[in-house]
Amino acid sequence: GDGSKTVIPSKANAKITCRLVADQKPERIAQLIQDHIETNCPTGVTVKVTWEASNKAKPYYIPAEHVGNQIAKTALTRLYGKEPYYVRVGGSIPIASHFQNALGVDMIGYGWSLGSENLHAPNEFFPIENFYRGIRGYCMLIEELADFKL
């Protein structure tokens, strides 16, 4: 119940999510985590690990030199007035790997939030100017895609 207690609780729960990178297999990572938890479980403690199918999305990777990224680079250069700086960052958009695996197409997209905005945290925030910048950026991306010639 509410309030502080001077006893050790009889039950505890934890949720773990992982941001996987290219070539990692969700099933293998899940098994490694489960093995680690079970191996390091203190004497007298019982552990039950369950997995949700939705948490087994495959990682997605698109090379920086991919034509879609080059088109996105052109749009971002227009938006900011200078070339973007490439960094590899983690994030999960499960549909991206489905498009890649089932349809054989790659997905390009932008992220507009900054690390200082506490993405997915209880105190997450997103400045309205980034929202409007995102709208302009995606419009520029669509323009660049429309002008692209093979």
Side-chain angles (χ1 to χ4, degrees), residues 62-77 83-84 86 108 110 141 144-145 148:
I62 181 172
E65 62 275 1
H66 187 282
V67 66
N69 278 337
Q70 296 305 310
I71 294 168
K73 174 184 174 181
T74 302
L76 287 173
T77 301
E83 287 191 11
Y86 282 101
I108 54 174
Y110 298 129
L141 176 62
E144 295 297 333
L145 287 167
F148 177 72

Side-chain angles (χ1 to χ4, degrees), residues 72-94:
K73 174 184 174 181
T74 302
L76 287 173
T77 301
R78 282 179 50 204
L79 180 65
Y80 288 101
K82 59 183 178 179
E83 287 191 11
Y85 176 73
Y86 282 101
V87 293
R88 261 182 93 165
V89 296
S92 297
I93 305 174

